[in-house]
């Protein structure tokens, strides 16, 4: 009746085993804090890491770049108009050989120094202008995004946490604002305030906080009814403590992800406004205003639009990739 | 009896995050024509993966049915079937019904059309014929006013009604085997009984063999003729329903039976099996249940017991059945009708 | 359903009314006078002009007149074109912009859906990675940079398409492409997410279990369900296309309202700016309404409950 018995199994093995039953409830694997875990996932994502490095490099260059050659952003030199780009040591690359339609302009004009990105129609150094333009674009994007987080988080928290009538009214207001295309808002605001750094920042903020506010409201509504908040309230925690110690920290991932997508939007709108003539005014330069100037001479001197165009595209791509990476890292459920 | 399905040494591995999860490890069972076989086990025991493997619905990657496994359907090995060949088996020869009727139906397609799809594909019916058959099927599964409801969308049906629709879809082409994966788990208790009644009735009419996958021994007692108990990706005990309920031999089966709430017994609390199932990414060398088994011996941790044939129909894989092992009586808590044979 | 449409239309009118008020207020807040050579005029002359245009009346009176005129299709006269009615300009130029916008939406949506499907069903494989990359680049590169690139290579360098102007296919190809790529990218990202989500649904397994072929399962069950939510991104797409068309029309010198708008900004032609702004707002608001209604029609789950799920 018995099946074949394993020969290697000896009699004494049939003694009761001393198995620690409590150990069967043990959770295998090392425990890692949620933040560490997210960071680990983020670092593993190649596109996100490459983007981070590119953005870091761009930021460094936007700080030190304008001081490389000692030109001011609006220093004009009528004798050196539209000089093609030339980088000593890289002249084997057609884009940096200092030649225009086959003619070495630098030799022709007997110029020793090299303009790495060339000069524009007013003889201004494009290298200097590109990096200071990048700086302005980044500053606008950063300020607009910070204000946008502040307003959005405040508005969203109040609306979502208090709920009821307050929430209804606040949501109606948002609905109406969202019903108007952001372009319309931005243009009206800028016309009233006069184009400039401040006006652009305000105008971009005026529309972008809505997304954040909606997101935070949703998170608040979801979180505030969860057990741990209830537990905290049962223990006598005040509203402010619940909001700042429980709700906002738990929405932090969401806030960071959304921020990463707000920055490129802000960079885009600044460039867009500068391109249509509602943005940064001379003597300042931004990537958008430079693309606008470069576009006017696109047919003759295409290199003038190349550098600001490449940098803005690179920045936007990298910020978006960083955003994607962060989203995957913070919320693997969203990873699809 | 005629074997219609024979699963031999089925191994399924999922390659996930560097780890290989061995969800099913050498499962053997067979299904006879017209009978109901229940596969019982807790979550993660491999029962659902087994059913998906039979249907050829293991996503690859990450899933893989390893070499040496075979699933013989009427003598032909489905493991070697191509996707195109499998399409002709699914829905026509072997059908499946799922756990959650709320999500198992396409929300944007009329239910009639969802029933008709299989008919048009497998039986080459015209649209009109398929529609008439769909109405017939709806009537068969007990949906009132089928002529009208055939043109409705899933959200217009209640949970129980949807499960009837799912059953109608599965039975549309008179399959030889019906795999029911926890068909009543997501339903209300009263509806559960109705659906089980319906399945039994339909089985009588159509002679379809059923593989019933469940963790609910109450459902098993109601429906099945034979039971296979799965644990840790293996079948640990199998037998006729009476053998499993009245003369179980594996300590895990004892645990399952003990944890089943009983109406007439005096019990202070529900009995649970302490511990959690083994990690199948790193399965134990020996008996998968050893870590939770109150009768575990030294041999259990490192040596997988072989099956002991207890009768022509019952076998179990446990070292306690070895002649050298101490004699252990099953706990009284399993008691359905006592255990005369000790 | 009718009640729903009425309610939504009501919301729409309220929103548009607010836009109208906002544009009026910003007109009043704009610095300087609307008259070209105000400095050269004596205060008396200026006063005569102002009262001629009704600018001396109390603000509420002006406001009521403004709304009244708007309802009767009068948006005032353009400053830069000798007081010619703004509406004439808009009517003459709008069809061109509309054509361009619709081109871009159609091309972009079709390409985007295809790209999204390909990415979704090949999740995690190189095709998915590739189309996701294309989508991210498409979303990221500003339309005006893209337009400049296209123009430089296709018109200046290879001379395949005309540099600028408006007309038949040859003229429409580049601007349509430049506008469509942003739309493609948006739709593709969205569609991919939806595809992946839908392919994980139980009813896909049900469909497979019926023995349907993979192609049928994807086409009849997955794609259809995944496409429904794509409708919801039509309004942001409209907004993106309108924003894009401002610069694209300018770059390709297309006589639509976008290039007109940029001109009016440069020349401080306030009535024209306001008129165009209102038109854009109307367009956007209507697209929101259309989406709401479409969603009701397309998704059977919505029809009975009649509300948002």
């Amino acid at each position: 009746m018995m099946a074949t018995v394993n020969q290697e199994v000896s009699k004494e093995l049939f003694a009761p085993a001393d198995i620690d039953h409590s150990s069967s409830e043990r959770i295998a694997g090392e425990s890692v804090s949620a933040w560490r875990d997210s960071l680990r996932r983020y670092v593993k994502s190649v596109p996100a890491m490459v983007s981070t490095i590119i953005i870091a490099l761009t930021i460094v260059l936007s700080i030190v770049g304008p001081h490389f050659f000692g030109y001011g952003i609006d220093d004009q030199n009528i004798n050196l108009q539209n000089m093609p780009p030339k980088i000593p040591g890289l002249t084997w690359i057609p884009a940096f050989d200092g030649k225009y339609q086959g003619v070495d302009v630098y030799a022709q004009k007997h110029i020793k120094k090299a303009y790495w990105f060339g000069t524009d129609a007013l003889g201004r150094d494009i290298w200097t202008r590109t990096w200071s333009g990048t700086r302005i674009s980044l500053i606008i994007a950063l300020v607009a995004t910070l204000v946008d987080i502040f307003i959005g988080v405040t508005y969203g928290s109040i609306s979502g946490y208090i709920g009821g009538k307050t929430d209804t009214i606040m949501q109606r207001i948002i609905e109406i604002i969202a019903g108007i295309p952001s372009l319309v808002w931005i243009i009206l605001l800028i016309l009233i305030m006069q184009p400039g750094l401040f006006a652009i920042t305000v105008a971009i903020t005026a529309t972008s906080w809505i997304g954040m506010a909606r997101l935070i409201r949703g998170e608040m509504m979801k979180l505030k009814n969860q057990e741990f908040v209830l537990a905290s309230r049962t223990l006598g925690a005040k509203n402010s403590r619940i909001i700042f110690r429980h709700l906002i920290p738990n929405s932090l991932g969401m806030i960071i992800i959304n921020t990463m997508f707000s920055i490129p939007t802000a960079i885009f709108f600044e460039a867009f406004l500068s391109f249509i003539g509602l943005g940064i005014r001379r003597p300042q330069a931004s990537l958008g205003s430079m693309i606008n100037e470069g576009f006017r001479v696109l047919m003759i001197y295409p290199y003038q639009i190349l550098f600001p165009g490449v940098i803005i595209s690179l920045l936007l791509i990298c910020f978006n990739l960083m955003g994607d990476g962060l989203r995957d890292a913070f919320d693997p459920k969203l990873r699809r | 009896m005629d074997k219609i399905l024979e699963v031999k040494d089925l191994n399924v591995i999922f390659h996930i995050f560097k780890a290989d999860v061995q969800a099913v490890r050498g499962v053997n069972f067979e299904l006879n024509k017209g009978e109901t076989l229940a596969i019982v086990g807790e979550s993660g025991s491999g029962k659902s993966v087994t059913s998906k493997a039979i249907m050829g619905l293991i996503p690859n990657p990450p899933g893989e049915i390893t070499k040496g496994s075979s699933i013989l359907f009427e003598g032909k090995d489905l493991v070697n079937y191509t996707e195109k060949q499998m399409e002709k088996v699914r829905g026509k020869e072997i059908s499946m019904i799922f756990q959650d009727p709320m999500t198992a139906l396409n929300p944007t397609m009329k239910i009639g059309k969802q029933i008709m799809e299989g008919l048009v594909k497998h039986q080459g019916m015209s649209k009109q014929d398929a529609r008439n058959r769909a109405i017939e099927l709806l009537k068969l599964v007990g949906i009132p006013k089928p002529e009208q409801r055939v043109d409705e969308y899933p959200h217009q049906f209640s949970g129980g009604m949807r499960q009837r629709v799912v059953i109608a879809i599965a039975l549309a082409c008179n399959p030889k085997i019906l795999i029911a994966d926890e068909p009543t788990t997501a339903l209300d208790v009263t509806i559960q009984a109705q659906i089980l009644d319906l399945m039994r009735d339909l089985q009588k009419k159509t002679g379809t063999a059923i593989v019933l996958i469940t963790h609910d021994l109450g459902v098993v007692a109601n429906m099945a003729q034979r039971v296979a108990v799965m644990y840790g990706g293996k079948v640990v005990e199998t037998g006729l329903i009476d053998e499993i309920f009245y003369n179980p031999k594996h300590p895990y089966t004892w645990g399952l039976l003990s944890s089943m709430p009983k109406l007439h017994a005096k019990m202070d609390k529900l009995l649970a099996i302490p511990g959690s199932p083994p990690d199948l990414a790193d399965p134990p060398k020996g008996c998968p249940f050893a870590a939770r088994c109150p009768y575990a011996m030294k041999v259990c941790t490192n040596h997988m017991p072989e099956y002991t044939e207890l009768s022509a129909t019952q076998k179990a894989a446990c070292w306690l059945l070895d002649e050298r092992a101490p004699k252990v009586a099953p706990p009284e808590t399993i008691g359905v009708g006592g255990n005369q044979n000790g | 359903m009718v009640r729903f449409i009425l309610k939504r239309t009501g919301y729409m009118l309220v929103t548009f009314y607010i836009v109208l008020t906002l544009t009026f207020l910003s007109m009043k807040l704009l610095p300087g006078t609307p008259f070209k050579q105000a400095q050269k005029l004596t205060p008396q002359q200026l006063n005569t002009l102002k009262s001629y245009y009704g600018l001396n009346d109390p603000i509420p009176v002006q406001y009521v007149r403004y709304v009244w005129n708007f309802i009767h299709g009068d948006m005032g006269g353009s400053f830069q074109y000798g007081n010619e009615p703004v509406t004439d300009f808009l009517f003459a130029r709008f069809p061109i912009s509309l054509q361009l916008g619709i081109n871009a939406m159609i091309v972009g949506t079709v390409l985007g859906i295809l790209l999204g499907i390909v990415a979704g069903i090949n999740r995690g494989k190189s095709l998915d990675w590739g189309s996701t990359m294309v989508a991210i680049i498409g979303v990221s590169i500003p339309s005006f940079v893209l337009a400049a690139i296209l123009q430089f290579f296709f018109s200046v360098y290879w001379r395949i398409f005309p540099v600028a102007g408006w007309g038949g296919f040859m003229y429409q190809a580049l601007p349509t492409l430049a506008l469509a790529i942003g739309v493609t990218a948006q739709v593709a990202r969205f569609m991919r997410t939806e595809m992946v989500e839908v392919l994980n649904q139980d009813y896909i397994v049900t469909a497979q279990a019926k023995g349907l072929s993979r192609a049928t399962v994807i086409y009849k069950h997955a794609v259809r369900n995944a496409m429904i939510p794509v409708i919801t991104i039509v309004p942001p797409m409209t907004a993106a296309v309108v924003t894009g068309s401002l610069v694209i029309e300018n770059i390709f010198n297309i006589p639509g309202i976008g290039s007109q708008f940029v001109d009016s900004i440069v020349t401080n032609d306030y009535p024209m700016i306001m008129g165009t702004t209102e038109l854009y707002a109307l367009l956007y608001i209507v697209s929101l309404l259309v989406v709401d209604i479409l969603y009701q029609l397309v998704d059977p789950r919505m029809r009975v409950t009649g509300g948002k799920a």
Side-chain angles (χ1 to χ4, degrees):
Chain A
M1 200 170 127
M2 284 288 167
T4 48
V5 177
N6 230 325
Q7 289 311 313
E8 55 183 287
V9 176
S10 56
K11 178 84 176 144
E12 56 268 28
L13 281 175
F14 286 85
D18 19 62
I19 290 168
D20 179 9
H21 285 283
S22 65
S23 72
S24 64
E25 296 277 4
R26 188 179 49 89
I27 290 160
E30 121 200 54
S31 77
V32 187
S33 83
W35 286 94
R36 279 277 294 281
D37 197 33
S38 300
L39 185 70
R40 195 188 283 177
R41 271 199 295 268
Y42 182 77
V43 172
K44 269 190 193 156
S45 155
V46 176
M49 275 321 280
V50 172
S51 303
T52 314
I53 293 167
I54 293 178
I55 288 170
L57 271 177
T58 315
I59 291 172
V60 170
L61 276 170
S62 76
I63 295 167
V64 301
H67 306 293
F68 263 35
F69 302 106
Y71 303 113
I73 45 166
D74 206 30
D75 285 358
Q76 303 173 13
N77 189 338
I78 307 299
N79 297 323
L80 296 174
Q81 288 170 350
N82 300 323
M83 295 293 289
K86 178 180 178 184
I87 302 180
L90 291 181
T91 46
W92 51 273
I93 301 174
F96 296 114
D97 58 5
K99 287 181 183 159
Y100 179 66
Q101 292 179 344
V103 182
D104 189 338
V105 187
Y106 287 85
Q108 201 181 24
K109 294 198 178 178
H110 307 291
I111 302 162
K112 292 263 162 55
K113 58 188 172 189
Y115 290 97
W116 285 10
F117 283 1
T119 63
D120 67 6
L122 295 171
R124 297 176 293 192
D125 178 37
I126 293 183
W127 169 274
T128 308
R129 286 173 62 74
T130 302
W131 293 117
S132 69
T134 309
R135 180 159 60 188
I136 292 211
S137 294
L138 286 173
I139 289 173
I140 290 176
L142 205 68
V143 174
T145 307
L146 286 178
V147 180
D148 148 28
I149 295 173
F150 179 73
I151 300 176
V153 170
T154 317
Y155 195 99
S157 308
I158 295 173
S159 181
Y161 188 74
I162 297 179
K165 261 212 180 93
T166 321
D167 181 47
T168 314
I169 295 169
M170 289 176 93
Q171 285 313 301
R172 252 322 101 70
I173 295 174
I174 280 201
E175 246 173 61
I176 287 168
I177 297 176
I180 306 170
S182 48
L183 181 72
V184 168
W185 265 120
I186 290 180
I187 287 176
L188 286 181
L189 278 171
I190 289 186
L191 284 176
I192 294 168
M193 288 188 292
Q194 294 297 300
L197 208 90
F198 179 71
I200 295 178
T201 316
V202 172
I204 293 174
T205 313
T207 58
S208 61
W209 66 274
I210 287 178
M212 185 66 92
R214 282 186 158 162
L215 199 84
I216 296 297
R217 170 178 175 267
E219 280 290 287
M220 291 285 153
M221 309 265 284
K222 194 182 86 194
L223 290 172
K224 78 173 176 187
N225 291 322
Q226 285 185 4
E227 314 269 293
F228 70 94
V229 175
L230 213 63
S232 176
R233 188 168 302 148
T234 326
L235 293 174
K238 286 195 209 116
N239 281 344
S240 59
R241 188 185 160 81
I242 292 175
I243 291 182
F244 288 108
R245 296 306 298 269
H246 292 294
L247 302 185
I248 291 186
N250 273 292
S251 334
L252 212 53
M254 277 286 205
I255 296 176
I256 292 174
I257 294 163
N258 197 47
T259 305
M260 270 302 139
F261 290 118
S262 296
I263 292 177
T265 313
I267 294 179
F268 168 78
F269 262 113
E270 183 280 318
F272 171 79
L273 290 169
S274 298
F275 185 80
I276 63 172
L278 274 179
I280 295 295
R281 293 280 156 108
R282 270 191 70 193
Q284 279 172 322
S286 79
L287 292 175
S289 68
M290 291 191 64
I291 292 170
N292 185 10
E293 286 160 17
F295 177 70
R296 289 189 211 142
V297 293
L298 174 70
M299 319 270 165
I300 329 165
Y301 304 112
Y303 67 87
Q304 293 189 9
I305 200 174
L306 180 70
F307 301 105
V310 165
I311 287 168
I312 196 168
S313 305
L314 212 56
L315 270 180
L316 293 175
I317 292 171
C318 290
F319 271 114
N320 275 321
L321 284 174
M322 255 178 93
D324 273 6
L326 280 172
R327 187 187 53 205
D328 293 350
F330 275 109
D331 200 345
K333 277 172 297 181
L334 288 175
R335 179 187 228 144
R336 284 163 172 170
Chain B
M1 272 200 265
D2 280 344
K3 273 184 210 163
I4 189 165
L5 183 77
E6 201 176 355
V7 173
K8 276 191 196 158
D9 201 22
L10 178 68
N11 280 280
V12 183
I13 298 180
F14 287 92
H15 305 280
I16 308 167
F17 302 124
K18 293 178 195 165
D20 287 348
V21 178
Q22 303 174 33
V24 174
R25 306 186 289 148
V27 160
N28 292 285
F29 63 84
E30 68 259 338
L31 180 70
N32 300 319
K33 262 187 190 151
E35 76 163 347
T36 300
L37 167 75
I39 300 182
V40 190
E42 60 195 275
S43 325
S45 58
K47 53 195 193 327
S48 281
V49 176
T50 306
S51 66
K52 286 226 168 88
I54 298 170
M55 291 294 284
L57 289 176
I58 302 277
N60 179 15
E64 185 199 345
I65 297 178
T66 54
K67 280 213 174 99
S69 310
S70 64
I71 300 169
L72 299 175
F73 169 70
E74 295 183 326
K76 286 159 291 180
D77 195 348
L78 297 182
V79 173
N80 301 329
Y81 268 34
T82 62
E83 180 60 25
K84 270 270 161 292
Q85 288 172 305
M86 258 335 267
E87 276 168 23
K88 293 196 183 100
V89 175
R90 284 187 211 129
K92 189 179 177 202
E93 312 282 1
I94 309 178
S95 282
M96 190 163 179
I97 58 182
F98 301 92
Q99 178 169 358
D100 189 356
M102 305 311 267
T103 56
L105 294 170
N106 185 342
T108 60
M109 194 183 270
K110 289 175 183 167
I111 58 129
K113 190 148 187 247
Q114 298 191 45
I115 301 174
M116 285 155 62
E117 276 184 325
L119 294 168
V120 173
K121 161 111 189 176
H122 295 302
Q123 311 199 326
M125 280 193 190
S126 72
K127 278 229 166 113
Q128 193 50 51
D129 290 350
R131 193 185 142 87
N132 292 338
R133 170 85 175 126
I135 294 171
E136 219 172 89
L137 280 161
L138 287 178
K139 200 183 281 168
L140 188 72
V141 295
I143 287 178
K145 288 193 251 163
E147 297 84 5
Q148 181 193 328
R149 305 221 75 175
V150 73
D151 285 324
E152 289 183 349
Y153 289 94
H155 70 268
Q156 290 160 294
F157 288 71
S158 68
M161 285 292 155
R162 284 194 208 186
Q163 193 63 304
R164 287 170 192 263
V165 173
V166 173
I167 292 172
I169 291 175
L171 294 180
C173 302
N174 293 319
K176 293 179 181 134
I177 301 174
L178 177 67
I179 300 173
D181 188 357
E182 308 253 4
T184 55
T185 309
L187 301 173
D188 290 347
V189 183
T190 46
I191 311 288
Q192 284 185 6
Q194 293 176 13
I195 295 292
L196 292 176
D197 283 347
L198 173 69
M199 284 174 60
R200 251 200 326 262
D201 278 1
L202 291 174
Q203 190 180 25
K204 261 181 220 152
K205 282 182 201 163
T206 58
T208 307
I210 296 178
V211 178
L212 178 71
I213 298 189
T214 183
H215 60 262
D216 186 343
L217 288 170
V219 172
V220 176
N222 255 315
M223 295 282 297
Q225 286 92 50
R226 288 197 305 120
V227 182
V229 179
M230 279 190 78
Y231 186 82
K234 286 176 178 291
V235 174
V236 292
E237 182 165 11
T238 164
L240 295 175
I241 186 147
D242 281 0
E243 293 168 331
I244 297 295
F245 275 83
Y246 297 107
N247 191 19
K249 289 296 180 194
H250 198 283
Y252 178 65
T253 316
W254 297 345
L256 270 184
L257 288 165
S258 302
S259 62
M260 196 176 145
K262 288 159 200 86
L263 205 52
H264 302 293
K266 265 194 199 162
M267 266 198 286
D268 299 332
K269 56 173 187 171
L270 293 173
L271 288 171
I273 307 175
S276 47
D279 177 9
L280 291 178
D282 182 21
K285 256 182 17 199
C287 171
F289 191 57
R292 294 167 76 187
C293 181
Y295 313 100
M297 296 168 293
K298 283 186 175 133
V299 65
C300 299
T301 20
N302 284 318
H303 302 273
M304 182 61 209
E306 309 222 346
Y307 286 108
T308 308
E309 309 260 354
L310 300 155
S311 72
T313 44
Q314 187 182 14
K315 56 184 179 175
C318 181
W319 283 117
L320 286 179
L321 302 170
D322 192 283
E323 53 219 345
R324 290 165 291 183
K327 294 286 165 269
V328 176
E332 295 196 351
T333 43
I334 66 167
V336 177
N339 27 292
Q340 304 91 327
N341 311 336
Chain C
M1 189 68 198
V2 176
R3 256 192 69 198
F4 173 81
I5 294 177
L6 284 179
K7 200 172 129 198
R8 284 282 140 181
T9 313
Y11 275 148
M12 182 196 111
L13 288 176
V14 170
T15 312
F16 187 68
Y17 175 71
I18 290 169
V19 174
L20 215 59
T21 311
L22 280 175
T23 43
F24 172 78
L25 286 179
S26 43
M27 279 268 249
K28 292 297 124 189
L29 284 171
L30 282 176
T33 69
F35 306 110
K36 253 185 191 164
Q37 288 154 325
Q39 352 20 358
K40 291 181 189 165
L41 301 171
T42 64
Q44 210 176 354
Q45 283 172 311
L46 195 63
N47 209 30
T48 324
L49 262 176
K50 273 190 169 175
S51 63
Y52 175 76
Y53 284 107
L55 297 177
N56 281 341
D57 298 335
I59 300 269
V61 175
Q62 291 187 38
Y63 175 64
V64 171
R65 189 183 316 130
Y66 171 82
V67 175
W68 180 255
N69 285 344
F70 182 86
I71 294 170
H72 291 83
D74 179 5
M75 293 177 167
S78 156
F79 288 169
Q80 62 176 321
Y81 300 104
N83 214 14
E84 268 193 59
V86 167
T87 36
D88 286 3
F89 276 95
L90 294 183
F91 278 129
R93 287 168 163 259
F94 184 59
I96 296 177
S97 296
L98 193 67
Q99 166 94 58
L100 177 62
I102 290 175
N103 283 353
M105 293 276 263
I106 292 173
V107 173
T109 311
V110 171
L111 284 180
I113 287 179
L114 289 178
L115 209 61
I117 294 173
V118 169
I121 57 183
N122 291 298
R123 182 158 82 115
K125 297 183 193 156
S126 50
L127 259 176
D128 176 25
W129 200 81
S131 44
T132 304
M133 252 354 213
V134 168
I136 284 193
I137 293 171
V139 162
S140 303
I141 295 184
S143 48
F144 48 93
V145 174
L146 193 73
I149 296 171
L150 290 176
Q151 197 180 41
F152 181 74
F153 284 105
F154 286 96
S155 305
V156 181
Y157 205 74
W158 294 319
R159 297 175 188 274
I160 300 171
F161 295 104
V163 175
W166 189 246
F169 172 79
M170 293 307 272
Y171 284 96
Q172 295 188 14
L174 286 188
T176 298
L177 193 61
L179 261 183
I181 287 193
V183 176
T184 306
Q186 272 188 43
V187 175
R189 286 183 104 180
F190 197 85
M191 186 70 190
R192 174 185 180 274
T193 316
E194 289 300 323
M195 273 306 278
V196 170
E197 166 106 28
V198 166
L199 285 172
N200 277 329
Q201 297 289 317
D202 290 350
Y203 59 78
I204 295 297
V205 187
T206 309
Q208 284 174 316
K210 279 182 221 171
L212 302 179
S213 67
R214 187 170 153 77
T216 315
V217 171
I218 287 171
Y219 172 68
K220 282 218 172 138
H221 290 268
V223 171
R224 272 199 194 179
N225 280 294
M227 262 167 69
I228 291 173
V230 173
I231 297 171
T232 53
I233 59 166
V234 170
M237 266 159 45
T238 319
V241 165
V242 166
T243 314
S245 74
L246 286 194
V247 285
I248 299 293
E249 287 184 12
N250 214 32
I251 287 174
F252 290 98
N253 210 2
I254 296 165
I257 44 173
S259 54
Q260 174 70 64
F261 191 45
V262 177
D263 271 358
S264 348
I265 290 170
V266 178
T267 53
N268 285 342
D269 188 348
Y270 294 146
M272 198 72 112
I273 297 176
M274 296 312 157
T276 318
T277 305
E278 282 153 9
L279 184 65
Y280 281 153
L282 193 64
L283 213 70
Y284 183 69
I285 295 168
V286 170
S287 81
L288 283 176
L289 176 73
V290 169
V291 165
D292 265 353
I293 296 170
L294 267 184
Y295 213 82
Q296 295 277 318
L297 290 177
V298 173
D299 193 337
R301 279 166 297 187
M302 296 292 222
R303 262 179 247 158
V304 166
T305 48
K308 288 208 166 189

